[in-house]
């Protein structure tokens, strides 16, 4: 009889042979521009901590005092055993921040997509989805069981074509897009997509995981385009610029009330802790008070991007603090990343299947936590390794 684990051994061997095995580095210090990674002190260029809030003293204090008041664990699924007043206050604060009628706060951005999509569309419906949408959107769509129809990346005219040709065959449609695409740092044409969706009366959803704290003075992509309150669902995460953990589903009261009744990650899984919720509340408060960190993030981004371009690197189509350094083949990107690490710079290589074949890259994430000196050190390391490997 065949060993029942053979399929696992075969797949693990394949991943190893093709260089696709995920190797996870271990972090030995708090999040920031400088971190201990695999026991080595490095300058960190691959964090989603855009504003440096993950280890901000104000967030730490808020989390600590919430633990003293509420304890360590939530001890309940919110819909069954009641929700902390802290969760309700946070939802109100997010609604104010995003200028929407209502918000449901859930455990993560990934959960938010699983929670929001299935109640809106089912087997008789269709979803219009950008070719490069995030995995959590794709999984939410699969879970919904609706027909997934893909339109070309950031192409509102193609979205219109796909809607026109297909919508009559279904009960209703939902258009879903990432706000900022995390591999290239480009921005969805939200105004055009919204206009198309409105013309055909389809539901609309945008996932703003990389836009919050970054675009629209920190208020996200919807604010950037002046479309506040227009999208049926805005998905958010607290794990990136906002520096904590958690996700949210924001929109019109009617829609959010309905999702609150139906969303399975909300109905059947425990809430985030009081410490998380209080820290999230503090990051929203900081962003409502001032966009100083956001301004620093963009200043750093402009400085770094310009420096890289002057050195002769190809930084792709980014319009945001995500800077892809295009290198072509995956082995070169991996070698580049390894050499940077030896030079004290932590910046990950991305290859197929995360990005298309031949478009391997190092993705540099700029943050407000980097000083000018940090950026100069990063640029010098890229110059050294780039010359050494014949890239520039
Ligand atoms: C990172 C990301 C998520 C997941 O957010 P988490 O809070 O980490 O689960 C969801 N959607 C998009 C577009 C993302 O980039």
């Amino acid at each position: 009889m065949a060993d029942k684990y053979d399929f696992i051994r075969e797949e693990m061997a394949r991943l190893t042979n093709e260089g696709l095995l995920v190797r996870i580095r271990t972090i030995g210090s708090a999040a920031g521009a400088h971190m201990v990674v695999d026991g080595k002190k490095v300058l960190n260029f691959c964090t989603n901590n855009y504003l440096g809030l993950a280890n901000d003293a104000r967030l730490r204090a808020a989390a600590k005092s919430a633990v003293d008041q509420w304890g360590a664990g939530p001890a309940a699924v919110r819909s069954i055993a009641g929700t902390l007043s802290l969760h309700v206050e946070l939802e109100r604060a997010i609604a104010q921040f995003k200028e929407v009628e209502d918000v449901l706060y859930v455990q993560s951005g990934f959960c938010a997509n699983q929670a929001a999509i299935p109640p809106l569309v089912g087997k008789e419906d269709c979803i219009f989805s950008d070719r490069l949408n995030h995995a959590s959107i794709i999984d939410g769509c699969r879970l919904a069981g609706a027909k997934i129809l893909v339109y070309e990346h950031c192409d509102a005219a193609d979205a219109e074509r796909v809607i026109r040709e297909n919508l009559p065959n279904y009960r209703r449609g939902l258009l879903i897009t990432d706000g900022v695409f995390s591999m290239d740092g480009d921005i969805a044409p939200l105004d055009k997509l919204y206009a198309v969706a409105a013309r055909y009366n389809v539901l609309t959803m945008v996932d703003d995981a990389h836009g919050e704290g970054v675009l629209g003075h920190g208020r996200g992509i919807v604010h950037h385009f002046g479309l506040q309150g227009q999208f049926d669902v805005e998905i958010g995460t607290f794990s990136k610029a906002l520096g904590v953990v958690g996700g949210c589903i924001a929109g019109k009261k009617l829609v959010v009330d309905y999702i609150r009744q139906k969303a399975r990650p909300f109905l059947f899984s425990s809430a985030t802790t009081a410490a998380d919720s209080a820290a999230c509340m503090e990051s929203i408060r900081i962003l409502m008070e001032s966009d100083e960190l956001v301004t620093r993030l963009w200043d750093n981004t402009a400085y770094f991007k310009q420096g890289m371009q002057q050195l002769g690197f190809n930084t792709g189509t980014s319009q945001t603090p995500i800077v892809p350094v295009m290198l072509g083949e995956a082995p070169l990107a991996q070698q580049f990343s390894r050499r940077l690490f030896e030079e004290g710079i932590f910046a990950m290589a991305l290859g197929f299947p995360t990005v298309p074949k031949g478009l391997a890259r190092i993705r540099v994430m700029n943050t407000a936590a980097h000083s000018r000196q940090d950026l100069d050190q990063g640029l010098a390391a890229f110059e050294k390794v780039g010359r050494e490997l014949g890239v520039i």
Side-chain angles (χ1 to χ4, degrees):
M1 222 175 14
D3 184 318
K4 69 178 176 182
Y5 301 122
D6 275 350
F7 78 100
I8 297 178
R9 290 193 190 94
E10 278 161 25
E11 177 62 4
M12 292 300 279
R14 183 186 74 82
L15 292 174
T16 308
N17 292 338
E18 293 179 17
L20 298 175
L21 204 65
V22 177
R23 295 214 11 240
I24 301 169
R25 293 192 184 270
T26 305
I27 308 287
S29 65
H34 297 267
M35 292 169 72
V36 176
V37 179
D38 282 348
K40 181 181 162 94
K41 192 146 194 286
V42 290
L43 181 54
N44 187 5
F45 279 112
C46 60
T47 174
N48 291 325
N49 184 22
Y50 288 107
L51 301 176
L53 287 172
N55 190 34
D56 187 281
R58 294 164 289 184
L59 269 69
R60 289 204 308 266
K64 281 180 199 163
S65 86
V67 169
D68 287 340
Q69 189 182 349
W70 300 94
V77 171
R78 293 173 63 192
S79 60
I80 296 172
T83 187
L84 301 184
S85 56
L86 207 55
H87 292 138
V88 179
E89 284 164 30
L90 175 60
E91 286 173 344
R92 286 206 196 107
I94 306 167
Q96 212 188 342
F97 180 64
K98 289 191 175 269
E99 298 173 68
V100 292
E101 290 174 6
D102 202 0
V103 166
L104 176 62
Y105 171 63
V106 294
Q107 300 90 338
S108 72
F110 195 101
C111 269
N113 279 313
Q114 315 302 296
I117 303 172
L120 295 175
V121 280
K123 282 195 180 58
E124 297 159 72
D125 308 316
C126 61
I127 294 170
F128 306 106
S129 176
D130 186 288
R131 181 174 293 291
L132 297 186
N133 272 348
H134 187 260
S136 63
I137 298 179
I138 295 170
D139 282 13
C141 294
R142 287 178 181 157
L143 202 54
K147 177 75 179 170
I148 302 168
L149 300 161
V150 170
Y151 61 86
E152 291 308 324
H153 178 53
C154 284
D155 188 340
D158 195 50
E160 169 148 30
R161 179 191 62 78
V162 177
I163 294 174
R164 191 179 57 238
E165 289 175 4
N166 294 282
L167 188 62
N169 303 327
Y170 296 92
R171 186 177 56 177
R172 61 174 168 267
L174 166 66
L175 183 137
I176 306 186
T177 183
D178 265 40
V180 174
F181 290 84
S182 58
M183 295 302 144
D184 292 291
D186 52 344
I187 298 176
L190 220 55
D191 48 351
K192 297 197 181 77
L193 290 170
Y194 181 77
V196 168
R199 204 170 309 137
Y200 289 87
N201 200 30
V202 302
L203 293 161
T204 50
M205 181 167 150
V206 57
D207 181 339
D208 200 23
H210 284 275
E212 293 157 330
V214 176
L215 295 173
H217 302 280
R219 293 189 184 228
I221 192 166
V222 172
H223 193 277
H224 173 81
F225 280 100
L227 291 167
Q228 293 95 314
Q230 300 300 306
F231 269 71
D232 293 308
V233 175
E234 294 175 40
I235 296 294
T237 176
F238 282 89
S239 70
K240 290 176 178 144
L242 296 164
V244 195
V245 72
C248 69
I249 299 160
K252 298 187 173 74
K253 185 169 179 347
L254 175 71
V255 178
V256 176
D257 264 347
Y258 166 73
I259 290 173
R260 196 178 275 116
Q261 296 300 316
K262 301 275 184 183
R264 294 168 72 86
F266 174 66
L267 296 175
F268 299 105
S269 179
S270 294
T272 57
T273 68
D276 293 322
S277 311
C280 289
M281 185 84 164
E282 185 62 12
S283 63
I284 293 281
R285 194 195 61 72
I286 291 169
L287 277 178
M288 301 256 279
E289 195 176 80
S290 152
D291 64 359
E292 185 195 328
L293 290 172
V294 183
T295 304
R296 197 181 311 158
L297 167 67
W298 282 96
D299 286 348
N300 281 352
T301 300
Y303 184 80
F304 186 83
K305 252 189 210 170
Q306 197 183 21
M308 289 295 281
Q309 284 159 4
Q310 275 166 4
L311 287 172
F313 285 103
N314 171 2
T315 56
T317 54
S318 170
Q319 300 164 272
T320 62
I322 298 169
V323 180
V325 182
M326 307 305 289
L327 294 170
E329 296 310 316
L332 174 61
Q334 277 161 3
Q335 192 187 4
F336 205 113
S337 171
R338 265 197 311 276
R339 280 290 298 117
L340 284 174
F341 195 76
E342 285 162 14
E343 297 292 324
I345 306 290
F346 186 27
M348 285 303 281
L350 299 171
F352 183 78
T354 310
V355 294
K357 283 204 169 102
L359 294 179
R361 65 197 69 178
I362 302 244
R363 186 178 59 162
V364 173
M365 306 292 281
N366 284 281
T367 77
H370 291 104
S371 66
R372 266 302 137 85
Q373 197 188 341
D374 294 335
L375 298 178
D376 287 336
Q377 190 189 333
L379 288 168
F382 266 96
E383 181 174 14
K384 180 173 176 190
V385 176
R387 291 199 196 291
E388 189 184 301
L389 298 181
V391 174
I392 51 168

